[in-house]
Amino acid sequence: MTRTTGWKTVAQGSKALIIDRYGQSRIVDGPQRLFLWRAKQFDTLVRYAANQSEYLWIQHADGTVEHRPGPCVVFHNPLLIRDICVRKAIVLDGNEVLVVYRKSQETGKMERRLQQGPTQFVPSADEWMHEFSWHGPDKTNKTKLIPNQWRFTKLKVVPDQFYYNVRTVDDALVKVKMMLFYEIKDIELMLQETKDPIADMANAVTADVIAFASQLTYEDFLEQTGKLNELGSFPQLVKRTKAIGYHISKAVYRGYQAPAQLQRMHDDANERRTKLKLSVEQVEQDQEMTDLKLESELDTLKMQHKLKMEQEEHKHKLNLEELEHKIAMEDREHENHMQQMILERQSELEMKQNTNNQMVDYLRQLKSLGVDLTEYLKSKNPRPDKVTRVVTDTDKADIHLHSSSAV
């Protein structure tokens, strides 16, 4: 065996493994300058580094495996480490979940836990992830599901949808196009009850569509396809998705596809029905036009009558208002006249009262001066010298005149 002799250099940041001729080993950290004498082995160790988004997978010489999260640096010592490699940490978004398994050191049983995102996940050496294998859409035909098309470890927990075509089994083969919107609600229940929920939902919707179509004729089926947009038409789908921890939020009917001959027969029948329907609609439209014309004429007569009545009512209202105004004016004039008469009468009374008061004052003054008021008043109002009376007899037309001289 060739022995290593001479000067050796270990660079800064490096390490070297030296085994002497007696089989003893040692690790030398750089920077160093060494002189070796008949050394059995001199190897510069390979340096492995992992950053913050990586980890080191290390298999030790005793068979144990270690996962060391970054950032870290490990030198590959072949005496202690059998193999080492750098692996990426598993990055989880907020809508992703990992199903992680490990064997319990205490009980020896398998344990399962859910690792929720968002996070960077570094599994322990004794942990491994559940790998899902589900039906998935064909790359060339999104409505065709292929077994084991979807293989993944990150489980999406956001609402999703898939397309699926159902072939009905009856005298007329019809392909019904469906679109299902689903969302996972219970991951633990899903792991316990199914290993391929997409296949379960496809089988359930197929059973429901066949049960729906088998009770109807082709014509009735085409008339009632709108019910395929209602979840009430899919009892088996709703029941199965609930049993596996999923929820169907909506089922959308996207149309149908029938054989060419059947479709041609259906189109011909539709054409005949359409012509009949158009004829009936034309008759109905003509009748509606006649009804509208008569109704319009009737409305015109009603409007004219209404306008005439309104004019008469307006004229009557104007006459009534004019009469009421005239009466109000006459009442006001009469009231003003009465008020004027009252004022004049009051004025006359006041003047007469003033005259009487003046006369009383005057007579009081005369009395105070010693004047005989009786004689004064007689002189003011003398007695007439002669009085003539006219006496008539009812039975006779003779008139007698009696005269007497004043005393």
Side-chain angles (χ1 to χ4, degrees):
M1 180 179 293
T2 304
R3 303 291 182 176
T4 301
T5 301
W7 292 97
K8 296 292 182 180
T9 301
V10 181
Q12 184 176 359
S14 300
K15 290 185 178 183
L17 172 63
I18 300 175
I19 302 177
D20 61 18
R21 57 182 177 174
Y22 299 108
Q24 296 179 349
S25 63
R26 60 192 176 100
I27 300 296
V28 178
D29 294 335
Q32 284 194 43
R33 180 73 173 169
L34 302 173
F35 181 80
L36 302 180
W37 172 253
R38 301 183 68 185
K40 182 179 179 181
Q41 184 178 347
F42 176 85
D43 292 323
T44 301
L45 301 183
V46 180
R47 182 177 182 272
Y48 291 88
N51 59 26
Q52 290 87 344
S53 61
E54 298 173 335
Y55 68 96
L56 294 178
W57 179 86
I58 304 171
Q59 185 179 16
H60 296 277
D62 60 0
T64 59
V65 177
E66 176 188 3
H67 290 181
R68 188 172 298 180
C72 63
V73 175
V74 174
F75 289 88
H76 187 186
N77 184 351
L79 299 179
L80 302 177
I81 299 175
R82 182 182 302 174
D83 193 11
I84 184 171
C85 63
V86 180
R87 293 183 178 179
K88 289 287 186 181
I90 301 175
V91 179
L92 295 177
D93 295 336
N95 57 5
E96 293 178 333
V97 175
L98 281 178
V99 181
V100 184
Y101 294 93
R102 66 182 295 272
K103 186 176 182 180
S104 175
Q105 299 295 334
E106 299 176 356
T107 63
K109 296 181 179 180
M110 302 305 298
E111 296 178 348
R112 181 174 62 201
R113 66 184 179 90
L114 302 179
Q115 179 63 50
Q116 302 280 349
T119 186
Q120 279 189 348
F121 176 68
V122 176
S124 301
D126 59 345
E127 293 180 331
W128 67 95
M129 274 65 69
H130 183 98
E131 183 176 359
F132 296 94
S133 180
W134 292 356
H135 276 65
D138 188 356
K139 294 181 180 179
T140 59
N141 184 4
K142 64 181 180 180
T143 62
K144 182 180 179 181
L145 297 179
I146 300 177
N148 303 320
Q149 179 71 4
W150 282 348
R151 292 181 178 273
F152 57 92
T153 57
K154 299 178 183 179
L155 179 63
K156 299 286 186 180
V157 293
V158 292
D160 204 350
Q161 70 280 335
F162 70 91
Y163 299 88
Y164 191 62
N165 292 347
V166 180
R167 293 180 180 271
T168 61
V169 181
D170 52 10
D171 295 337
L173 183 62
V174 177
K175 185 186 295 183
V176 180
K177 302 177 181 180
M178 297 298 302
M179 184 178 182
L180 301 180
F181 292 81
Y182 62 91
E183 181 181 2
I184 188 168
K185 293 295 186 180
D186 192 334
I187 298 176
E188 291 287 351
L189 183 60
M190 182 269 292
L191 294 172
Q192 293 174 7
E193 298 298 330
T194 182
K195 67 175 183 178
D196 192 344
I198 301 300
D200 289 356
M201 286 187 278
N203 293 333
V205 73
T206 300
D208 284 326
V209 171
I210 292 176
F212 176 82
S214 62
Q215 301 175 3
L216 306 172
T217 63
Y218 181 71
E219 299 294 336
D220 293 337
F221 170 75
L222 297 183
E223 291 179 358
Q224 299 186 30
T225 51
K227 293 183 179 180
L228 293 177
N229 289 310
E230 303 172 1
L231 285 180
S233 300
F234 303 92
Q236 298 183 63
L237 175 62
V238 173
K239 181 179 179 181
R240 181 55 185 165
T241 51
K242 185 177 180 181
I244 61 176
Y246 274 81
H247 170 68
I248 292 291
S249 59
K250 183 166 55 174
V252 178
Y253 169 69
R254 299 172 47 249
Y256 73 97
Q257 182 178 352
Q261 183 178 2
L262 179 62
Q263 186 64 41
R264 189 162 36 301
M265 293 172 58
H266 177 66
D267 293 341
D268 293 340
N270 280 340
E271 185 177 357
R272 289 193 297 271
R273 282 196 300 269
T274 302
K275 289 181 179 179
L276 292 174
K277 186 177 181 181
L278 290 176
S279 299
V280 173
E281 289 179 353
Q282 184 63 40
V283 174
E284 291 178 350
Q285 289 179 359
D286 294 341
Q287 184 63 40
E288 288 179 359
M289 290 298 297
T290 303
D291 294 341
L292 288 174
K293 185 176 180 180
L294 294 175
E295 186 177 354
S296 177
E297 293 177 355
L298 181 60
D299 291 340
T300 301
L301 292 176
K302 290 181 178 180
M303 182 62 68
Q304 292 176 354
H305 179 70
K306 183 179 179 181
L307 290 175
K308 187 175 180 180
M309 292 296 296
E310 290 178 352
Q311 290 176 356
E312 292 294 333
E313 290 179 358
H314 181 67
K315 184 177 179 181
H316 177 71
K317 184 178 180 181
L318 291 177
N319 294 334
L320 181 61
E321 290 179 352
E322 182 179 359
L323 180 61
E324 290 177 351
H325 177 70
K326 183 177 180 180
I327 293 174
M329 292 297 296
E330 290 178 355
D331 291 343
R332 187 176 300 172
E333 290 178 358
H334 178 71
E335 184 179 356
N336 292 336
H337 178 69
M338 292 300 297
Q339 190 69 25
Q340 183 67 26
M341 290 180 64
I342 291 173
L343 291 175
E344 291 178 357
R345 184 62 179 169
Q346 288 179 350
S347 177
E348 291 177 358
L349 291 175
E350 288 178 357
M351 291 179 62
K352 188 174 182 179
Q353 182 70 29
N354 292 333
T355 302
N356 292 335
N357 291 336
Q358 291 177 1
M359 178 60 68
V360 171
D361 293 339
Y362 177 71
L363 293 175
R364 286 176 178 172
Q365 292 177 1
L366 290 178
K367 185 177 181 179
S368 64
L369 294 174
V371 177
D372 187 354
L373 296 178
T374 302
E375 294 296 330
Y376 175 76
L377 292 175
K378 286 181 178 182
S379 64
K380 284 292 184 181
N381 297 290
R383 186 175 181 182
D385 294 335
K386 185 181 289 184
V387 176
T388 303
R389 293 185 298 169
V390 177
V391 180
T392 62
D393 192 352
T394 57
D395 297 330
K396 297 179 180 181
D398 296 336
I399 300 174
H400 301 277
L401 296 176
H402 300 274
S403 64
S404 59
S405 299
V407 179

